[in-house]
Amino acid sequence: MSKIAYEFAKNIPWLDEVSTINTVFFFIMFVLIIIWVLRMKKKDVDEYKNMPLDDGNEKNSVNNLKNTLL
């Protein structure tokens, strides 16, 4: 199968340029995401970290914890 793909890709002259552009684009996006993550504020990170568990009602959460422990 790889021989068929190689023969097909060998006949396309612009394929090298497209793969180079895609690699550069991926690298730039990866670096931008890394920079964005490193610049995030601690408060935002904690908010995102607790998002699935936080229902906005801390009183019920404490009561549920007490009932679970009893």
Side-chain angles (χ1 to χ4, degrees), residues 19-38:
S19 63
T20 303
I21 292 170
N22 286 339
T23 303
V24 169
F25 178 72
F26 172 79
F27 182 73
I28 290 171
M29 291 302 297
F30 185 75
V31 169
L32 289 175
I33 290 172
I34 295 289
I35 291 170
W36 177 67
V37 167
L38 291 176

Side-chain angles (χ1 to χ4, degrees), residues 11-59:
N11 295 329
I12 303 175
W14 49 267
L15 193 61
D16 290 336
E17 296 168 6
V18 171
S19 63
T20 303
I21 292 170
N22 286 339
T23 303
V24 169
F25 178 72
F26 172 79
F27 182 73
I28 290 171
M29 291 302 297
F30 185 75
V31 169
L32 289 175
I33 290 172
I34 295 289
I35 291 170
W36 177 67
V37 167
L38 291 176
R39 294 188 64 192
M40 289 176 71
K41 296 178 182 174
K42 174 100 170 114
K43 181 184 86 168
D44 292 336
V45 172
D46 289 337
E47 181 181 335
Y48 297 146
K49 180 178 72 174
N50 295 324
M51 199 175 278
L53 302 175
D54 185 17
D55 61 358
N57 194 353
E58 285 77 20
K59 185 176 181 180

Side-chain angles (χ1 to χ4, degrees), residues 58-69:
E58 285 77 20
K59 185 176 181 180
N60 284 342
S61 298
V62 172
N63 288 338
N64 290 338
L65 180 61
K66 287 180 184 177
N67 291 337
T68 304
L69 295 175

Side-chain angles (χ1 to χ4, degrees), residues 3-15:
K3 289 182 182 182
I4 296 171
Y6 175 74
E7 290 297 324
F8 179 73
K10 187 171 68 170
N11 295 329
I12 303 175
W14 49 267
L15 193 61

